[in-house]
């Protein structure tokens, strides 16, 4: 039995030892085929329109359909009301009014606020949240009376409602005023909308970026760059606006020649930005997606253009948005979800319980080419993830990816080139990857995050075998200095590193680290300005390489 079989049968990593380096490399080196780098940035660009108005299961689906999440609301269930509970906790569960309204809600089957049909009876409420719930109960009882239903409110219940209405008259009046204002705005928007059945939206990201260091791995020919990324998205429904959604996206950008990753500049994928793309300022089709809910718990996704595993698998990261999230490609989400550089696929999202969901995604590269096929493509991947919310302020996920690559490459374009090409053995291989994620809102304004992944690339025709790892820790502090919507984020992690291998030229001898920080200023609901930077030590996991600094000021507009 050879060493490789010993490893696979025993499940132990002790058999997998790093090979001695044949030669010290002073440069990182980009992919032997730089042209294969995907300029499809839509996987990291937040969608213009969320799917929260579909079935409940759609509300927290995945990043390609994400809302503009922040550290403050990232772990929340969507609510019909807008005021976060933690802002003004002046209605306690022990109050008579709280218990009275809760009894009315249950007795008359009124759905209030949350997906489980309650206003979370074990949590304090603001007076405006309470008034919104009370207003829903009043409306429901009015409808019962007008319809002549057999379920008639008792005199005792009517007296309770009268007392509640008197005590919360000011809040009810304000709630009604807001409803009327929303109705007027909705009518105005409907009159001015792009099309009765098609919604038009988009976003523009402008960035001023510069870099220093990194000579080697690159030649250090660096210039300050002014770039843009523009996304236009059309969305519509084919059957029922509450059950399905068709989205078409177009993208244009001018960050050419791979940006700072160009060999003349810094020569490593570790410097790629989250919002860079090169289309020579021409709009190109970047995303074509159709989602539909077959029930309140099951949603299917088909995406023949712009697909990646995290089109279905939720990366559990609030930093994936190209407009408001991490500045670097690496720190936005785990590279495990980028394996294969896929472009066409689909999957399902199944809500097992109110706190657990199962997600399955399958995709291929060149799926629209005559050379590719659904199950015979040269690059394909299947991903399965269990996402759980054990507590209201905690979300965890565990994912497994099984992929095939004709040349054995991972093609995540986030870590060392050596890790991305799996040591360069260039043979058909099966890829096994496991990834774990965690997001924990410690307080209403502080969120801790972490993810880590392990990848095993197993050559089919030979004994070549490669083990790669990656991880990241993050800290987010929102609403600093009393500015609602602002966010300070700090991230520390290690881009994919080839730890050990069999029958390869070398493992990564160095230990590169990624340090990133940014501060997002919220100018308005549609405009944000984000200055930030990231530092990469020992680029390419080669200790002889010089450290790299990349700084950027990013401005995001949505419409």
């Amino acid at each position: 039995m050879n060493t490789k079989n010993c490893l696979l049968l025993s499940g132990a990593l002790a058999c997998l030892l790093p090979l001695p380096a044949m030669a010290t490399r002073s440069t990182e080196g980009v992919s032997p085929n730089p042209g294969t780098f995907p300029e499809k940035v839509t996987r990291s660009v937040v969608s213009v329109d969320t799917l929260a108005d579909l079935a409940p299961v759609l509300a927290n689906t995945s990043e390609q359909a994400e809302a503009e999440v922040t550290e403050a609301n990232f772990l929340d269930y969507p609510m019909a009301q807008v005021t976060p509970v933690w802002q003004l906790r002046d209605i306690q569960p022990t109050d008579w009014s709280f218990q009275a309204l809760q009894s009315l809600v249950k007795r008359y089957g009124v759905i209030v606020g949350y997906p489980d049909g309650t206003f979370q009876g074990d949590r304090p409420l603001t007076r405006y949240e309470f008034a919104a719930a009370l207003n829903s109960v009043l409306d429901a009882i009015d409808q019962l009376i007008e319809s002549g239903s057999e379920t008639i409110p008792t005199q005792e219940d009517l007296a309770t409602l009268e007392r509640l209405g008197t005590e919360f008259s000011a809040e009810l009046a304000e709630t009604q005023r807001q409803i009327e204002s929303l109705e007027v705005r909705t009518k105005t928007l409907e009159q001015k909308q792009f099309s009765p059945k098609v919604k038009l939206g988009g976003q523009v990201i402008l960035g001023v970026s510069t870099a220093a260091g990194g000579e080697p791995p690159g030649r250090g020919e660096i210039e300050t760059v002014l770039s843009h990324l523009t996304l236009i998205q059309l969305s519509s429904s084919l059957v029922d606006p509450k059950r399905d959604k068709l989205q078409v996206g177009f993208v244009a950008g001018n960050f050419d020649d791979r940006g700072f990753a160009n060999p003349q500049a810094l020569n490593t994928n570790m410097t790629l930005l989250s919002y860079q793309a090169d289309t020579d300022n021409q709009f190109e089709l970047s995303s074509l997606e159709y989602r539909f809910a077959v029930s309140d718990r099951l949603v299917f996704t088909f995406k023949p253009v712009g697909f990646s595993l995290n089109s279905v698998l939720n990366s559990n990261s609030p930093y994936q948005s190209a407009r408001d999230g991490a500045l670097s490609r690496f720190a936005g989400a785990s590279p495990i979800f980028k394996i294969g550089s896929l472009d066409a696929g689909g999957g399902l999202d199944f809500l097992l319980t109110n706190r657990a969901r199962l997600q399955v995604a399958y995709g291929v590269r060149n799926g629209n080419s005559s050379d590719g096929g659904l199950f015979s493509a040269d690059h394909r991947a299947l991903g399965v993830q269990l996402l759980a919310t054990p507590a209201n302020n905690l979300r965890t996920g565990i994912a497994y990816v099984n992929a095939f690559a004709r040349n054995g490459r991972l093609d995540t374009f986030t870590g060392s080139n050596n890790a991305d090409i799996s040591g360069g053995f260039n043979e058909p291989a099966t890829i096994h990857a496991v990834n774990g994620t965690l997001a924990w809102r410690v307080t209403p304004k502080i969120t801790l995050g972490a993810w880590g992944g392990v990848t095993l690339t197993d050559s089919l025709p030979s004994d070549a075998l490669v083990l790669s790892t990656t991880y990241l820790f993050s800290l987010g502090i929102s609403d600093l200095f009393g500015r609602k919507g602002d966010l300070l984020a700090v991230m520390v992690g290690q881009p994919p590193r080839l730890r050990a291998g069999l029958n390869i030229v070398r493992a990564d001898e160095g230990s590169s680290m990624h340090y990133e920080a940014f501060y997002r200023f919220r100018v308005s609901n549609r405009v944000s300005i984000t200055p930030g930077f990231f530092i990469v030590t020992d680029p390419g996991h080669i200790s002889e390489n010089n450290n790299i600094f990349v700084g950027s000021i990013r401005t995001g507009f949505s419409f």
Side-chain angles (χ1 to χ4, degrees), residues 483-543:
R483 288 181 48 85
K484 185 173 177 60
D486 281 12
L487 172 66
L488 171 65
V490 179
M491 290 159 277
V492 179
Q494 186 169 82
R497 176 187 177 192
L498 199 163
R499 290 275 183 173
L502 295 173
N503 291 350
I504 61 172
V505 175
R506 67 179 184 93
D508 287 335
E509 300 96 352
S511 181
S512 177
M513 293 297 296
H514 179 103
Y515 304 94
E516 181 168 343
F518 67 82
Y519 190 96
R520 186 185 68 220
F521 292 92
R522 177 185 176 273
V523 180
S524 69
N525 287 335
R526 298 183 179 275
V527 181
S528 64
I529 300 175
T530 308
F533 68 90
F534 61 90
I535 297 172
V536 180
T537 64
D538 296 344
H541 299 297
I542 298 173
S543 56

Side-chain angles (χ1 to χ4, degrees), residues 375-390:
F375 300 107
S376 59
D378 289 342
H379 298 267
R380 53 188 185 268
L382 170 68
V384 180
Q385 177 171 245
L386 179 63
L387 199 66
T389 309

Side-chain angles (χ1 to χ4, degrees), residues 212-337:
E215 185 184 359
R219 297 185 179 180
E221 298 177 8
I222 300 169
E223 296 180 356
T224 299
V225 178
L226 173 62
S227 64
H228 81 91
L229 176 68
T230 303
L231 173 70
I232 294 178
Q233 181 169 280
L234 303 173
S235 61
S236 184
S237 171
L238 300 182
V239 181
D240 181 350
K242 293 185 178 181
R243 308 298 295 183
D244 75 322
K245 186 166 295 254
L246 173 66
Q247 297 186 115
V248 182
F250 299 88
V251 69
N254 67 338
F255 211 129
D256 60 358
D257 295 330
R258 293 172 48 81
F260 299 134
N262 187 282
Q264 303 300 317
L266 300 177
N267 195 31
T268 174
N269 289 327
M270 294 182 181
T271 61
L272 291 172
L273 300 178
S274 62
Y275 59 90
Q276 72 177 69
D278 178 21
T279 68
D280 197 22
N281 291 316
Q282 303 298 312
F283 277 100
E284 297 179 356
L285 178 65
S286 59
S287 176
L288 176 60
E289 176 183 276
Y290 180 64
R291 290 172 178 262
F292 67 93
V294 297
S295 71
D296 288 346
R297 291 184 173 271
L298 180 61
V299 175
F300 284 97
T301 298
F302 296 98
K303 196 167 185 178
V305 178
F307 178 86
S308 65
L309 289 177
N310 61 7
S311 295
V312 178
L313 307 184
N314 190 319
S315 65
N316 200 19
S317 168
Y319 305 114
Q320 184 165 324
S321 166
R323 194 190 79 175
D324 294 319
L327 296 172
S328 67
R329 175 179 170 86
F330 161 68
S334 172
I336 298 299
F337 297 111

Side-chain angles (χ1 to χ4, degrees), residues 110-291:
V110 182
I111 297 178
V112 180
Y114 292 90
D116 61 0
T118 72
F119 50 91
Q120 305 255 342
D122 59 344
R123 299 178 61 180
L125 295 176
T126 69
R127 292 182 67 84
Y128 286 106
E129 280 186 310
F130 189 90
L134 177 57
N135 189 69
S136 297
V137 174
L138 290 171
D139 288 344
I141 290 180
D142 283 344
Q143 292 176 8
L144 287 175
I145 295 175
E146 292 176 0
S147 65
S149 171
E150 296 179 358
T151 306
I152 300 298
T154 64
Q155 290 298 323
E156 182 181 357
D157 288 345
L158 292 175
T160 300
L161 284 170
E162 183 178 1
R163 182 182 175 188
L164 287 171
T166 300
E167 181 167 336
F168 291 87
S169 58
E171 288 80 9
L172 283 171
E174 175 62 18
T175 299
Q176 187 61 37
R177 187 194 67 80
Q178 292 181 0
I179 291 174
E180 292 173 354
S181 175
L182 285 173
E183 289 176 346
V184 172
R185 292 175 61 187
T186 300
K187 185 175 182 180
T188 301
L189 288 173
E190 288 176 347
Q191 293 173 347
K192 296 181 178 180
Q193 65 183 336
F194 171 72
S195 165
K197 294 185 177 180
V198 180
K199 296 179 181 179
L200 171 66
Q203 58 185 265
V204 178
I205 302 171
L206 301 177
V208 179
S209 310
T210 190
E215 185 184 359
R219 297 185 179 180
E221 298 177 8
I222 300 169
E223 296 180 356
T224 299
V225 178
L226 173 62
S227 64
H228 81 91
L229 176 68
T230 303
L231 173 70
I232 294 178
Q233 181 169 280
L234 303 173
S235 61
S236 184
S237 171
L238 300 182
V239 181
D240 181 350
K242 293 185 178 181
R243 308 298 295 183
D244 75 322
K245 186 166 295 254
L246 173 66
Q247 297 186 115
V248 182
F250 299 88
V251 69
N254 67 338
F255 211 129
D256 60 358
D257 295 330
R258 293 172 48 81
F260 299 134
N262 187 282
Q264 303 300 317
L266 300 177
N267 195 31
T268 174
N269 289 327
M270 294 182 181
T271 61
L272 291 172
L273 300 178
S274 62
Y275 59 90
Q276 72 177 69
D278 178 21
T279 68
D280 197 22
N281 291 316
Q282 303 298 312
F283 277 100
E284 297 179 356
L285 178 65
S286 59
S287 176
L288 176 60
E289 176 183 276
Y290 180 64
R291 290 172 178 262

Side-chain angles (χ1 to χ4, degrees), residues 433-482:
V434 177
N435 188 79
T437 62
L438 179 145
W440 176 29
R441 191 178 59 216
V442 183
T443 73
K445 294 186 178 181
I446 298 178
T447 299
L448 298 178
W451 47 255
V454 179
T455 304
L456 187 69
T457 307
D458 177 15
S459 171
L460 296 178
S462 74
D463 290 336
L465 195 64
V466 169
L467 175 70
S468 300
T469 62
T470 184
Y471 62 85
L472 181 136
F473 300 94
S474 64
L475 166 67
I477 306 176
S478 60
D479 301 344
L480 268 73
F481 314 115

